[in-house]
Amino acid sequence: MRLPIWRVSTGLLGLLLMAACGGGGSSDGPSAVTVTVQGQYEKRTLSASGVGTTTTLPTRYSYAQVVNSSSGQVVASGTLDGAGTGTFTVPKGITFYVALYASIEVPTTSGSGFYFYGEVKKAVPMATYASAEAFNQITPWTTISADVSANTSGTLALRALDATGEGAAFAIADQMATFALGMRGLEPTLQLPELYAFWMTGTTATSYPTAALGPGGTTMLTQSSALGGRAIFQHSVRYAAPAAADRGADAYNDSALQEAFARLLFADGSLAYGNGTYGTIVRRDNDNAFVLPADPSEPAIAFVSGFSSFLSSAFRNDPASYDIPVGGGLPTVFRLDQHTGFTPTGGGEFYPGSVARTLWGIWKNPAIFNGTQAGLQTMWKATNPAFTPNDYEFGKTPLACYPTYLTGLKRLAGLAAATPLANELALENVGNGTDPTSSIYLNGPALWTVSPLPISASGSFSTNGPALGYFYDWDTAQAFRFVQGAAGPRTLTLTTPGSGLLMELFDTFGLLTWAEASSSGNGVINRTSLPAGTYVVRVRVDPLRTYASGTISYGLTVN
């Protein structure tokens, strides 16, 4: 548990180390009473009709302190259980209050250590921090009880209210618990990084988690070994005041929160290796960026977006997701259990919405996984290289995207699932009439141009798209697949007369290297001894650049 030293004096810090998961604390002795804390928060419902009335829920796994009102001394502290309950021993006769923090610590299934730590901070995130210790000092949201006399044992119910904004902060924290429990059910031994949501005036949009950075912005912040040594990730949640028309904004939007939390799995630095280096929990062969469900997108980012949307619905067991308008009004609703079709193709593997819908259908189909936890675990395994080691499966493919994910999933699901799985894909036109896991598809032009060496190619990309996300449209990227028959030198050169393009080289395990080209210079990748194997080189527009409306042309050679 992060030490909330903003609440106590330095001389009392040792008391906090006595906290125990599931409740517990200090102050043993004959002159003591037992206080059972029941943490609660008020949450507003959200549906197609908009933000509704409040309901009361437990503050699962939240952190509580029992504080002597006179001295400010923390006399007991600990983490509440999965029902929001914890029991503490308090000196008899004192006057005390309970402070409940929007900080959660979900235990491991073994009971040793913690699986996930999350917190909601009452601040705006910064680009850099002086240290992990300085980051930990940023105040989280709390709710505090009235003073109570410790005359007899009993139960104290402490509720974070919607009217104060505290309920909304605890709603965010509770969705972190939902995410953590969902992931623990999929992979109990996975070590997730710590996640901190920032929610207050000034957090105007819900962002995807990124690593918190130290001075200079070059290194990730990590906790001390005493606190578990995990990487620190942060993101913002769109804020609105309790009385605003959009009431808390995304704090009560479980679908948006879960989709943002799912992006943690694809974030750079989310996976810690034993040698001190970092990667991503799930392979990501494009940026961890937002694209609309109905936008035909580059294959890798279409999968990341669609899988995150599916996981959001799966962890909530709800096919609906919501987008609450700024300033209030009825939300936009997107449902994974409806197949309305996208224009102009009626959907497909390049539409994030089609990816999410077909994943939901595969999970819920009685002839495939029937909505079971075991089925969801299989769908998660299809992202794991340990379970997908074959050619063109997600763990061994030159481009990680929906068709290559499906190649591994189809094998893991078994022969009996092949036909119903194909039927689910057909509902969203995935493969456009061709099995997307077949050699005909994988060796065809849908994902990439299959090219013998040497390669000499040219083309152009549209720069007329809308401002939001057009950098990731399917017509702003082109991939070329080639086979390196034997180890040897290979030079890739990209030219463009425009403001700039990216060239990326992938092997069957992910991105190897990249280069950029512009009118001021070519992009060159020179490998003196490229190992034998299958590779993809992708050319795409650069999301960090500004383009004039029109087109940008390129030339690519691989020699």
Side-chain angles (χ1 to χ4, degrees), residues 25-301:
S26 55
S27 306
D28 294 333
S31 299
V33 298
T34 299
V35 176
T36 298
V37 174
Q38 175 62 67
Q40 302 171 341
Y41 72 98
E42 292 180 344
K43 177 176 182 172
R44 288 196 173 271
T45 59
L46 177 63
S47 69
S49 300
V51 180
T53 57
T54 60
T55 184
T56 300
L57 297 170
T59 59
R60 298 177 294 170
Y61 304 110
S62 58
Y63 179 64
Q65 290 179 336
V66 181
V67 184
N68 186 310
S69 302
S70 300
S71 67
Q73 176 181 344
V74 178
V75 297
S77 60
T79 302
L80 305 186
D81 62 19
T85 300
T87 301
F88 303 91
T89 303
V90 179
K92 189 172 183 178
I94 71 166
T95 299
F96 70 93
Y97 66 85
V98 173
L100 191 62
Y101 293 83
S103 308
I104 67 156
E105 188 170 285
V106 176
T108 62
T109 54
S110 67
S112 175
F114 66 95
Y115 185 80
F116 174 83
Y117 181 87
E119 186 172 288
V120 184
K121 290 190 176 292
K122 196 175 186 179
V124 175
M126 297 189 295
T128 61
Y129 302 88
S131 64
E133 291 74 18
F135 183 93
N136 291 339
Q137 302 311 304
I138 301 172
T139 306
W141 282 83
T142 57
T143 192
I144 297 175
S145 75
D147 285 347
V148 181
S149 296
N151 296 323
T152 185
S153 297
T155 297
L156 187 154
L158 177 54
R159 183 180 302 178
L161 303 178
D162 166 71
T164 63
E166 294 167 0
F170 279 85
I172 298 170
D174 196 46
Q175 283 304 301
M176 287 183 172
T178 296
F179 172 74
L181 292 171
M183 288 306 305
R184 193 180 71 177
L186 297 182
E187 191 169 344
T189 59
L190 178 65
Q191 187 177 95
L192 292 169
E194 295 188 354
L195 180 60
Y196 296 80
F198 286 71
W199 185 76
M200 69 167 295
T201 304
T203 57
T204 58
T206 298
S207 63
Y208 296 147
T210 57
L213 301 177
T218 57
T219 58
M220 291 195 310
L221 291 184
T222 58
Q223 295 290 3
S224 67
S225 57
L227 293 177
R230 300 192 190 188
I232 297 171
F233 276 70
Q234 64 178 12
H235 79 119
S236 60
V237 175
R238 184 164 68 93
Y239 176 86
D246 50 350
R247 294 185 181 276
D250 282 343
Y252 295 132
N253 188 348
D254 297 351
S255 62
L257 293 173
Q258 289 300 326
E259 199 269 337
F261 300 157
R263 292 301 187 109
L264 178 66
L265 306 172
F266 295 94
D268 291 330
S270 59
L271 180 65
Y273 295 107
N275 61 2
T277 61
Y278 292 86
T280 60
I281 293 172
V282 181
R283 179 175 165 181
R284 189 196 82 233
D285 285 353
N286 204 319
D287 302 329
N288 198 10
F290 173 79
V291 290
L292 290 168
D295 279 357
S297 306
E298 187 279 326
I301 202 168

